[in-house]
Amino acid sequence: ARGAVGADGRGRGGCDAMARRVIYPLYQYGNPQLRIFRTNFFMTLVRPGTEQPEDTVQFRIPMEMTKPDVKNYLQDIYSVPVAAVRTRIQYCTNKKRNHKNQKVKRPDYKVAYVQLAEGQTFKFPNIFPEKDQTTESGSLEEIQNKFLEEDKQKQKADPRRGGVTEWFGL
């Protein structure tokens, strides 16, 4: 039946994002009740495709998560001061087809732009920094580079062949 309401006052199929039913361990006399809050959500920090202000951080979040949920999640769990939260839904295309010629659609996802509080900045970490190309003479790296360059010279195509590959006999 439509419009049916459960015992918690919400619709039967409705799920309040942060207030899902949690089952705690049974109380036993003399034992302290250990209650651990574990969230039902996972937020993924995403490197933005376009340049963002220094105080804005981009996350990929579940579709059920709301703006207040994002703010509470960051402030309560990670103690990050949040000024504002903006969200958008990224709809993915279904133009690809699989080997059976059936349309394949990637799942839609929600993106949250979190603006940090006054004076807070975030710079995305450089996980793979560039190495310096200077090498010492006689080192293992220099010998490897020299060997690779000689190997490339051997594999270069003969300019007299006019772009015809070697396996094709002339």
Side-chain angles (χ1 to χ4, degrees), residues 67-81:
K67 292 178 188 182
D69 290 340
V70 172
K71 189 171 184 175
N72 291 337
Y73 185 96
L74 292 172
Q75 286 179 341
D76 295 344
I77 297 175
Y78 295 107
S79 303
V80 175

Side-chain angles (χ1 to χ4, degrees), residues 1-169:
R2 289 185 160 226
V5 177
D8 58 356
R10 296 178 304 189
R12 199 179 291 154
C15 62
D16 197 14
M18 286 295 254
R20 291 193 181 150
R21 185 178 163 151
V22 179
I23 300 172
Y24 297 112
L26 292 174
Y27 175 76
Q28 296 175 357
Y29 184 74
N31 288 348
Q33 283 199 6
L34 299 176
R35 294 187 179 195
I36 301 171
F37 172 72
R38 284 183 30 214
T39 179
N40 300 324
F41 296 122
F42 295 98
M43 293 176 58
T44 307
L45 179 64
V46 180
R47 186 184 300 268
T50 59
E51 193 67 29
Q52 298 282 343
E54 286 188 1
D55 65 340
T56 303
V57 185
Q58 183 175 334
F59 292 96
R60 187 175 288 186
I61 60 174
M63 294 288 272
E64 305 90 35
M65 205 166 185
T66 62
K67 292 178 188 182
D69 290 340
V70 172
K71 189 171 184 175
N72 291 337
Y73 185 96
L74 292 172
Q75 286 179 341
D76 295 344
I77 297 175
Y78 295 107
S79 303
V80 175
V82 175
V85 177
R86 294 183 309 280
T87 60
R88 70 175 173 88
I89 296 174
Q90 178 64 49
Y91 296 103
C92 294
T93 61
N94 59 347
K95 293 182 179 178
K96 287 192 175 185
R97 292 182 177 266
N98 65 3
H99 66 285
K100 295 179 182 178
N101 203 24
Q102 299 166 330
K103 282 191 173 183
V104 176
K105 183 180 187 309
R106 289 183 302 160
D108 303 334
Y109 57 90
K110 196 176 219 181
V111 178
Y113 299 96
V114 176
Q115 189 172 357
L116 302 175
E118 188 86 23
Q120 299 284 325
T121 60
F122 177 80
K123 186 174 184 291
F124 209 92
N126 187 6
I127 301 173
F128 303 107
E130 292 291 326
K131 286 188 192 177
D132 292 336
Q133 295 295 333
T134 58
T135 57
E136 300 174 13
S137 61
S139 68
L140 179 64
E141 289 181 14
E142 185 197 5
I143 294 169
Q144 285 177 339
N145 290 339
K146 193 174 185 182
F147 177 76
L148 288 173
E149 285 180 25
E150 289 174 4
D151 200 35
K152 282 182 184 176
Q153 288 293 329
K154 289 178 186 175
Q155 291 180 2
K156 273 192 177 175
D158 188 2
R160 296 173 293 174
R161 294 185 65 89
V164 179
T165 57
E166 287 188 20
W167 56 265
F168 188 83

